[in-house]
Amino acid sequence: AQTVTQSQPEMSVQEAETVTLSCTYDTSESDYYLFWYKQPPSRQMILVIRQEAYKQQNATENRFSVNFQKAAKSFSLKISDSQLGDAAMYFCASGGYQKVTFGTGTKLQVIP
Amino acid sequence: EAQVTQNPRYLITVTGKKLTVTCSQNMNHEYMSWYRQDPGLGLRQIYYSMNVEVTDKGDVPEGYKVSRKEKRNFPLILESPSPNQTSLYFCASSLYGTEYNEQFFGPGTRLTVL
């Protein structure tokens, strides 16, 4: 069984500043991946970044990076130089081979 | 263009009237899945399919049926919809399983059951 917890229902950040979204997970899978998805007002689900659990190095994608703490089962997303287009709902997810479990989401507001 | 399509995008129906939401992908993906999204609950997996004729229950399968007769299609069937199935539904596909491969999501179907 997998659970994913996002404890921050809403967050805000000033444009150009940095923000970190928190996520903790629990899984019985030995091999798994972790994901952050972005859902803008258009409702489209967009993959932001993913992390292989067996890799110690934290994944980065341009302004997006993660802090993966395997022992603590923590997978936070850091957004640097926040832009207005980053305003969206962000979902953390944990995936084994067959199933993916999503968190409840964090709504990010970017203040001009 | 590689994509996952869903139809209809919006649907208002009444309790008990059978409906089908279609999902189709053109990427030759083996894995397909259905999710529902509800406020405060995130996305929850309804059913998934690892390949043609292979389907399995997700976390919230009650009240839903699926079939996978062709690789590209994965329809979601509500035999007798009820108001608690009012939700935003997403279909997704990936090349194989969900462990490594990125899931590509459809645009969503907003369903209202009166």
Side-chain angles (χ1 to χ4, degrees):
Chain A
Q2 297 180 105
T3 60
V4 177
T5 302
Q6 293 180 251
S7 58
Q8 306 153 315
E10 295 187 15
M11 291 195 72
S12 62
V13 61
Q14 291 285 143
E15 195 175 3
E17 296 296 310
T18 296
V19 65
T20 298
L21 309 183
S22 301
C23 173
T24 58
Y25 66 94
D26 197 6
T27 179
S28 56
E29 303 277 351
S30 55
D31 295 320
Y32 57 93
Y33 277 68
L34 298 163
F35 309 87
W36 278 99
Y37 281 88
K38 172 185 178 181
Q39 187 181 46
S42 66
R43 303 186 321 205
Q44 184 67 44
M45 293 289 289
I46 303 165
L47 179 65
V48 174
I49 197 165
R50 64 183 163 195
Q51 172 80 41
E52 296 92 328
Y54 63 86
K55 286 189 176 180
Q56 292 188 344
Q57 186 173 5
N58 289 325
T60 62
E61 287 286 344
N62 301 313
R63 298 182 294 107
F64 298 88
S65 62
V66 298
N67 183 5
F68 174 46
Q69 302 289 330
K70 191 172 185 178
K73 295 184 177 178
S74 171
F75 183 61
S76 60
L77 175 69
K78 186 172 81 171
I79 306 174
S80 304
D81 185 26
S82 297
Q83 300 175 359
L84 294 178
D86 295 333
M89 183 73 83
Y90 287 83
F91 292 98
C92 178
S94 170
Y97 183 59
Q98 294 181 329
K99 295 178 66 175
V100 176
T101 298
F102 286 81
T104 53
T106 296
K107 185 176 182 179
L108 179 65
Q109 179 187 21
V110 180
I111 303 167
Chain B
E1 179 189 356
Q3 61 182 348
V4 178
T5 57
Q6 294 178 228
N7 282 291
R9 296 286 310 279
Y10 301 89
L11 179 60
I12 301 175
T13 189
V14 296
T15 298
K17 186 176 181 181
K18 181 179 179 180
L19 66 92
T20 299
V21 183
T22 65
C23 173
S24 183
Q25 50 92 6
N26 62 0
M27 296 168 279
N28 202 35
H29 285 173
E30 291 191 356
Y31 182 94
M32 297 186 75
S33 183
W34 277 103
Y35 299 88
R36 61 177 289 174
Q37 182 179 0
D38 302 289
L41 297 177
L43 278 79
R44 294 177 292 168
Q45 194 168 34
I46 303 171
Y47 270 94
Y48 63 93
S49 170
M50 299 296 293
N51 211 326
V52 176
E53 302 293 357
V54 180
T55 63
D56 208 345
K57 297 177 180 179
D59 295 320
V60 289
E62 293 79 19
Y64 304 95
K65 287 177 57 177
V66 294
S67 67
R68 188 92 181 273
K69 294 183 171 55
E70 305 167 282
K71 197 174 204 178
R72 63 182 293 128
N73 296 323
F74 190 46
L76 179 69
I77 304 159
L78 285 72
E79 295 268 1
S80 182
S82 62
N84 64 13
Q85 293 179 297
T86 292
S87 188
L88 176 60
Y89 290 87
F90 286 99
C91 180
S93 74
S94 64
L95 186 58
Y96 298 115
T98 59
E99 187 177 51
Y100 171 77
N101 302 283
E102 174 184 355
Q103 285 196 87
F104 292 84
F105 283 80
T109 295
R110 172 72 69 184
L111 173 65
T112 300
V113 183
L114 302 176

